[in-house]
Amino acid sequence: MAALDDTEVREGVDRETVETVASMAGKYKHGWSTDIEMDFAPKGLSEDIVRLISDKNNEPEWMTEWRLQAYRRWQGMEEPDWAMLEIPPIDYQEQYYYAKPKSMEKKPKSLDEVDPKLLETYEKLGIPLREQMILAGVEGAEQAPAEGRKVAVDAVFDSVSVGTTFQEELARAGVIFCPISEAIEKHPELVKKYLGSVVPQGDNFFAGLNSAVFTDGSFVYVPPGVRCPMELSTYFRINAENTGQFERTLIIADKGSYVSYLEGCTAPKRDTTQLHAAVVEIVALEDAEVKYSTVQNWYPGDEEGVGGIYNFVTKRADCREDRAKVMWTQVETGSAITWKYPSCILRGNDTQGEFYSIAITNNWQQADTGTKMIHLGRNTKSRIVSKGISAGHAQNTYRGLVSMHPKAADSRNYTQCDSLLIGDKCGAHTVPYIEVKNATSRVEHEATTSKVDDDQLFYCRQRGMDEEEAVALVVNGFCKDVLQALPMEFAMEAQSLVAISLEGSVG
Amino acid sequence: MLEIKNLHAQLEDDAEIKILKGVDLTVEAGKVHAIMGPNGSGKSTLAYVLSGRDGYEVTEGTVTLEGEDILEMEPEERAAAGMFLAFQYPVEIPGVGNMTFMRTAVNAQRKARGQDEMSSGDFLKLVREKAKSLKIEPEMLKRPVNTGFSGGEKKRNEILQMAMLEPKMCILDETDSGLDVDAMKLVAEGVNALRDANRGFLVITHYQRLLNHIKPDVVHIMSEGRIIKSGGPELALEVEEHGYADLLAEGA
């Protein structure tokens, strides 16, 4: 721990964040740097707030109008209530929609002030100490030297992107990877063409909200025939209290290109719940391939179900042209509530969509997650492998739609849906929707539910593993098909996360 | 090595069902003891109680391993202290590679004993060497633990784990069940290779035939939760010839 004591502790996090934002939106530069306590985006949501957000990002008029249009649509929409989730009422006027990191007194000044349980978690994750401090919300942590790794990262801290690495190297390959706020300014033709083309403003309540108030997110464009030279990664972090995070990601893979994209999420422990409503849009043109992997580790609330992130996310990929291929892989271990269905529209002929998912719920967590595979083109293929694990009092639902449209001749889907229960107070549910509107397509669905077996645990323990190690081993075995679909670096992290998420679930 | 005194145990869920009713047994280091007995005599329960499986309640008696009381220990603590049980029905763990399982086990025990973890290289070398002597194909090491293994493969896999973990006290619970003669020979050779002046064995079996291959120093006959007779290897032959009836009558 000695190294930590040497770390300079100051209000650096806030200043850096604010300065980065300021440099992107010069207009407010002076106001921010002189008075960082200034509450520049009041609580609540109105057309004025939408304009303010747009203004802060220095957006062109068409973008402001797009947001306002979304806001007006959203006002006429209702929260979806069909999921198997008990969602306490959310007061949308009690949220900050553009918040700088909140007052400093409340943030831990050093690791000594951080909940030891949280630190223990990060330590077990094998995250370097500097990262641990960032994750724990310790001030000044960002200033500690970083160890370089060959993954380009766009870090979104609260509402703003604080920096993107390897931009130059990517630019040499012609790949654009930048905050979406920057893309709106520098590549308006791409943003105009594709934003909202996969998830329209009026798609659903949360997507509508996001369209109106999204503050930042990542933008990726891979030009024709280019294989992106490295993994792209966005690291999302909610830090401030009472702040909603509404990031928007847009990925465009032009003809014959390839990109692998990783998304990581964390949030500190808070007693209050926090709202996260993101939208991810992927457009894959002819022969393009996109892999999108998520390790979602938002704060899940405590053992009593207090606090945690409400995660309402719309993720959708459009295999717009022939032979495009998209693969979603997600490891969902966090959030108090998860409402998320990464989907594929298989529009082109011979397109392919894959969805691999591990959803772990412990204590009082609730997850209603799955996918939609919309087969529109001929000879399209989709594959769904879902592993749901419930422990404690948690409820875990797989909800999936496989739809074969009349023109989707000779298409195929295979779905495998396995649930694992730990203890006798949790629940697992599988809700598949299957629509087949042609005579030549084939849909297969397999589902199993099992319990972690006492014999398996005793066998492991007799060989010397403690109970938690034994559960982690058995569960990792259960998830193997999905873990294998993750990029190496993420797979390791995901494995340890599986172990950590289930701590205290047995015994 | 292992000292069992007046051990009484019953089912946790049903105190009416008393299974062990005063077992006395001492296994010395370097010795092989065999326990024989009819179905339902409590042999397997004894193995489970010694290794700490849930579901049983010890109501009386003591068990020590090298002088240390083990009854209060968790199963993994007993394992780290040197207790090993070769299961009658080895458990399948889908999706977990056999090698990963063994390495996790070896390192968990090393960690519990305050030793450094074994490196991947050293582990791989060791496991290949031991597997070879048990005629275990490298391919079997990659398959998920016991999943889709034949009866013989499962039992050989148990012995491989025993060889990797190098326990002080080995309990073999009906390791011969479901094995053909060739498989039994292989397993017995594996066990014999581990016989050592510092290691004790307790071999539980229905039949004498396993004891042709693993020669016991002492044979015990168990009935209704107690050891009713102990003797040399000739006792096993007696059972083979006349069955348990005479011995049981004698013991009653």
Side-chain angles (χ1 to χ4, degrees):
Chain A
M1 297 293 272
L4 298 176
D5 300 330
D6 300 337
T7 309
E8 206 181 333
V9 171
R10 54 192 163 111
E11 47 181 80
V13 173
D14 288 7
R15 189 161 297 157
E16 190 189 45
T17 308
V18 167
E19 275 171 9
T20 312
V21 177
S23 68
M24 283 187 248
K27 209 168 164 183
Y28 288 87
K29 199 170 183 174
H30 302 294
W32 292 359
S33 57
T34 50
D35 188 7
I36 53 171
E37 289 291 321
M38 197 171 101
D39 220 356
F40 47 78
K43 247 186 200 175
L45 190 51
S46 64
E47 287 206 6
D48 285 346
I49 292 285
V50 174
R51 276 183 216 280
L52 187 73
I53 293 167
S54 187
D55 206 24
K56 279 195 203 319
N57 282 350
N58 214 7
E59 287 172 356
E61 188 56 28
W62 61 268
M63 195 63 233
T64 314
E65 277 311 311
W66 195 85
R67 287 175 180 276
L68 286 169
Q69 199 181 14
Y71 175 70
R72 287 167 201 143
R73 281 195 185 171
W74 175 73
Q75 281 182 304
M77 296 175 81
E78 280 178 18
E79 283 176 279
D81 62 356
W82 39 260
M84 203 174 283
L85 298 170
E86 275 183 42
I87 307 171
I90 298 165
D91 187 343
Y92 293 91
Q93 298 304 333
E94 273 302 302
Q95 297 279 333
Y96 289 102
Y97 290 87
Y98 191 93
K100 62 179 174 125
K102 240 211 150 190
S103 67
M104 268 149 261
E105 311 90 72
K106 276 202 166 178
K107 295 176 80 181
K109 299 279 179 194
S110 74
L111 280 179
D112 292 339
E113 290 177 30
V114 177
D115 188 322
K117 252 176 143 174
L118 195 69
L119 283 182
E120 214 175 272
T121 306
Y122 291 129
E123 223 174 271
K124 280 185 186 166
L125 272 173
I127 292 174
L129 285 179
R130 177 185 150 271
E131 300 265 327
Q132 278 186 37
M133 291 192 289
I134 297 173
L135 295 173
V138 173
E139 293 175 42
E142 264 89 345
Q143 269 74 44
E147 299 147 31
R149 50 174 194 173
K150 205 62 170 170
V151 177
V153 178
D154 180 24
V156 178
F157 188 85
D158 286 332
S159 298
V160 287
S161 174
V162 294
T164 311
T165 60
F166 290 107
Q167 252 174 320
E168 277 176 34
E169 206 172 325
L170 289 167
R172 274 199 293 275
V175 175
I176 303 168
F177 179 39
C178 66
I180 199 158
S181 52
E182 193 182 313
I184 291 167
E185 194 188 323
K186 293 188 180 162
H187 310 283
E189 70 296 343
L190 287 172
V191 178
K192 261 189 193 170
K193 186 171 177 188
Y194 291 106
L195 187 74
S197 74
V198 186
V199 179
Q201 294 165 332
D203 187 80
N204 68 70
F205 182 86
F206 299 111
L209 179 63
N210 175 285
S211 301
V213 303
F214 76 87
T215 35
D216 219 331
S218 298
F219 175 83
V220 177
Y221 172 76
V222 191
V226 170
R227 197 178 166 86
C228 188
M230 64 184 84
E231 307 261 2
L232 303 183
S233 168
T234 298
Y235 176 78
F236 292 111
R237 163 140 191 97
I238 299 179
N239 200 66
E241 237 171 327
N242 297 326
T243 312
Q245 178 150 316
F246 307 94
E247 78 272 359
R248 183 119 194 162
T249 300
L250 178 59
I251 298 173
I252 304 145
D254 214 322
K255 292 179 196 296
S257 67
Y258 168 85
V259 62
S260 169
Y261 187 92
L262 319 172
E263 175 203 299
C265 325
T266 58
K269 185 175 166 174
R270 303 269 186 223
D271 291 341
T272 49
T273 52
Q274 287 172 282
L275 183 61
H276 176 248
V279 170
V280 176
E281 294 179 281
I282 297 176
V283 180
L285 301 182
E286 200 175 62
D287 292 305
E289 184 177 348
V290 180
K291 284 187 184 170
Y292 192 106
S293 313
T294 307
V295 173
Q296 185 266 101
N297 185 23
W298 297 121
Y299 179 57
D302 68 9
E303 293 86 343
E304 308 300 322
V306 177
I309 304 285
Y310 290 176
N311 194 28
F312 303 105
V313 176
T314 307
K315 291 183 170 179
R316 195 174 300 154
D318 188 355
C319 292
R320 202 160 279 183
E321 297 178 354
D322 293 353
R323 295 175 301 281
K325 192 175 168 187
V326 170
M327 178 169 135
W328 295 103
T329 307
Q330 60 168 17
V331 179
E332 302 282 310
T333 65
S335 297
I337 296 176
T338 301
W339 179 96
K340 182 180 171 190
Y341 315 90
S343 305
C344 295
I345 300 169
L346 303 171
R347 197 183 302 276
N349 295 329
D350 303 294
T351 51
Q352 282 185 49
E354 289 174 41
F355 174 76
Y356 296 92
S357 168
I358 297 171
I360 299 179
T361 50
N362 194 3
N363 297 319
W364 297 91
Q365 281 177 270
Q366 305 176 67
D368 193 304
T369 183
T371 183
K372 289 190 277 187
M373 292 290 174
I374 315 289
H375 293 252
L376 302 176
R378 283 194 311 279
N379 197 30
T380 49
K381 289 191 184 71
S382 65
R383 182 183 172 87
I384 298 169
V385 179
S386 162
K387 306 276 179 177
I389 297 132
S390 325
H393 295 83
Q395 294 295 329
N396 200 327
T397 303
Y398 166 81
R399 187 181 302 277
L401 168 70
V402 176
S403 179
M404 300 285 184
H405 282 241
K407 286 180 181 163
D410 299 313
S411 294
R412 283 190 185 179
N413 161 266
Y414 171 73
T415 300
Q416 184 193 335
C417 206
D418 299 321
S419 305
L420 188 69
L421 301 171
I422 302 172
D424 55 8
K425 293 186 181 68
C426 53
H429 317 274
T430 302
V431 191
Y433 303 79
I434 297 170
E435 302 169 356
V436 182
K437 295 175 184 155
N438 69 62
T440 55
S441 292
R442 205 164 83 196
V443 176
E444 288 175 68
H445 181 94
E446 282 179 29
T448 66
T449 302
S450 49
K451 284 189 82 168
V452 168
D453 188 41
D454 287 343
D455 287 340
Q456 287 176 334
L457 294 185
F458 176 64
Y459 191 63
C460 294
R461 294 179 74 191
Q462 205 300 306
R463 297 301 185 249
M465 299 168 216
D466 66 34
E467 201 161 17
E468 278 173 359
E469 221 172 346
V471 170
L473 191 82
V474 171
V475 172
N476 271 316
F478 172 78
C479 301
K480 195 182 165 210
D481 300 351
V482 176
L483 290 172
Q484 277 175 336
L486 283 170
M488 195 57 186
E489 198 181 50
F490 255 28
M492 300 298 284
E493 191 187 334
Q495 262 188 16
S496 357
L497 255 182
V498 166
I500 290 163
S501 319
L502 290 168
E503 253 175 26
S505 61
V506 285
Chain B
M1 175 64 57
L2 179 71
E3 221 172 321
I4 306 168
K5 282 185 186 156
N6 191 31
L7 187 65
H8 287 70
Q10 61 196 30
L11 282 189
E12 209 169 50
D13 293 338
D14 190 349
E16 293 301 305
I17 302 182
K18 302 187 194 314
I19 306 173
L20 301 181
K21 301 168 186 168
V23 176
D24 287 290
L25 180 67
T26 300
V27 180
E28 309 81 3
K31 300 288 185 197
V32 174
H33 285 233
I35 296 189
M36 301 181 74
N39 287 328
S41 56
K43 305 188 298 294
S44 286
T45 298
L46 178 63
Y48 287 144
V49 169
L50 292 176
S51 53
R53 189 193 180 106
D54 281 345
Y56 303 98
E57 192 188 343
V58 173
T59 50
E60 232 184 300
T62 58
V63 179
T64 58
L65 183 66
E66 290 193 306
E68 207 180 344
D69 176 13
I70 60 163
L71 287 179
E72 291 303 311
M73 291 184 186
E74 295 293 337
E76 60 271 25
E77 293 168 333
R78 300 184 198 200
M83 181 77 88
F84 182 91
L85 171 65
F87 284 60
Q88 183 180 0
Y89 305 108
V91 181
E92 298 184 1
I93 310 179
V96 177
N98 209 10
M99 200 101 90
T100 307
F101 177 78
M102 273 188 273
R103 194 165 163 228
T104 310
V106 166
N107 283 331
Q109 290 202 12
R110 291 179 74 97
K111 203 172 143 198
R113 290 194 288 257
Q115 298 164 324
D116 286 339
E117 289 197 356
M118 199 185 279
S119 74
S120 315
D122 290 350
F123 176 82
L124 211 63
K125 217 173 126 190
L126 193 68
V127 79
R128 283 195 180 136
E129 181 191 310
K130 307 256 184 199
K132 205 173 167 188
S133 65
L134 283 159
K135 297 208 168 112
I136 288 173
E137 299 294 323
E139 178 267 335
M140 199 173 124
L141 297 173
K142 292 181 193 152
R143 274 152 59 188
V145 182
N146 294 323
T147 310
F149 285 24
S150 71
E153 283 175 332
K154 283 184 183 173
K155 296 298 171 78
R156 268 184 282 155
N157 197 36
E158 292 293 286
I159 306 304
L160 174 63
Q161 292 178 35
M162 190 161 95
M164 289 301 296
L165 293 167
E166 300 186 323
K168 292 174 184 156
M169 182 66 218
C170 309
I171 305 169
L172 281 72
D173 187 9
E174 304 206 15
T175 297
D176 53 335
S177 67
L179 293 189
D180 60 31
V181 180
D182 293 338
M184 185 154 66
K185 269 189 191 161
L186 257 180
V187 166
E189 278 168 25
V191 173
N192 289 331
L194 287 169
R195 287 180 76 156
D196 175 303
N198 300 315
R199 188 170 286 141
F201 285 87
L202 188 60
V203 179
I204 296 171
T205 181
H206 265 298
Y207 303 107
Q208 190 269 338
R209 56 176 191 167
L210 178 67
L211 304 180
N212 287 336
H213 303 287
I214 305 172
K215 297 259 188 291
D217 297 294
V218 186
V219 175
H220 307 275
I221 307 296
M222 193 165 179
S223 169
E224 293 185 9
R226 284 185 305 127
I227 307 275
I228 55 161
K229 189 166 184 177
S230 303
E234 71 286 352
L235 194 53
L237 291 168
E238 202 177 309
V239 170
E240 181 77 358
E241 249 175 71
H242 306 294
Y244 289 110
D246 293 352
L247 287 166
L248 297 187
E250 204 178 302

